[in-house]
Amino acid sequence: MQPMDVATSNDPAGYVWLSRFLPTVIIVNTFANFFTLFISIGAYGPARRFWNEFELFISLAWLFFLIALTLSIIAQMIVTYQRQHVLDAFSRGRDGFRKWRDGGMGNKTFVERMAVGFVVKVPLAMVIAFLMLLGFMFCSLCVVSHSLAVGWIGFTWTIIMMVLAIVSWALMEHS
């Protein structure tokens, strides 16, 4: 017998992907939060450039990682505790949430409708990924205060990843 929140090969692809995505995001964001705290306590010594901006950038990085971590944990709890409802909504195809809400699985409470809508209807993975990328972007700007070249390379790479994430999301929405 498998644990209740483990996806099987018979589950809808969206559910399987989300159930594997969320734990990974939780781990990455946890370490990213520690990383921002590590930088903020001056592990690299005082910033040589942009000292006033450094404090703002490290605070924003921490905030974005924290929001992404919070959304991931909430979504993971919903996927775990509302598993049958989430599976049913994902299995109903492109308009799965609307079809799930309007029929099947008996009466749904307001909390169940809100929880499943949060996981299935909202482009949650895109929001979480974008928040994480914003956190890494601001961490890169903090690195600029210590090493210009490395920081700007990290910043540029993060911007490229943001563009790729937006393009891939747009392609998925129109396919």
Side-chain angles (χ1 to χ4, degrees):
M1 185 166 160
Q2 70 183 24
M4 195 153 161
D5 62 335
V6 175
T8 65
S9 59
N10 298 335
D11 292 335
Y15 178 82
V16 172
W17 186 86
L18 191 63
S19 67
R20 292 182 180 152
F21 173 74
L22 291 172
T24 305
V25 168
I26 291 169
I27 291 168
V28 168
N29 274 299
T30 301
F31 285 113
N33 271 306
F34 286 125
F35 176 71
T36 57
L37 290 174
F38 181 71
I39 291 174
S40 69
I41 60 173
Y44 295 112
R48 292 188 290 257
R49 305 166 200 84
F50 314 118
W51 176 246
N52 293 333
E53 293 83 4
F54 177 85
E55 292 176 346
L56 174 65
F57 292 157
I58 200 69
S59 300
L60 287 170
W62 178 82
L63 179 65
F64 287 127
F65 286 132
L66 183 66
I67 294 170
L69 179 62
T70 303
L71 290 176
S72 304
I73 290 172
I74 291 169
Q76 183 63 51
M77 289 189 313
I78 292 168
V79 166
T80 300
Y81 296 115
Q82 298 292 329
R83 183 178 194 272
Q84 284 308 118
H85 290 300
V86 173
L87 275 170
D88 189 37
F90 270 120
S91 67
R92 292 175 183 257
R94 188 149 181 89
D95 291 328
F97 176 70
R98 186 176 49 80
K99 291 176 185 174
W100 169 83
R101 182 192 66 210
D102 296 340
M105 293 293 290
N107 293 333
K108 292 137 187 105
T109 65
F110 175 74
V111 173
E112 289 170 338
R113 287 192 310 270
M114 293 300 294
V116 174
F118 176 71
V119 172
V120 176
K121 189 75 172 152
V122 175
L124 188 62
M126 184 64 193
V127 170
I128 292 170
F130 201 72
L131 287 168
M132 289 174 56
L133 286 169
L134 281 172
F136 283 118
M137 182 186 76
F138 283 108
C139 278
S140 297
L141 290 173
C142 289
V143 173
V144 167
S145 69
H146 297 287
S147 173
L148 280 172
V150 174
W152 285 118
I153 289 170
F155 178 81
T156 305
W157 183 257
T158 307
I159 296 296
I160 291 169
M161 293 306 298
M162 284 180 173
V163 170
L164 289 175
I166 291 169
V167 167
S168 66
W169 178 69
L171 291 174
M172 285 189 313
E173 285 297 310
H174 295 309
S175 63

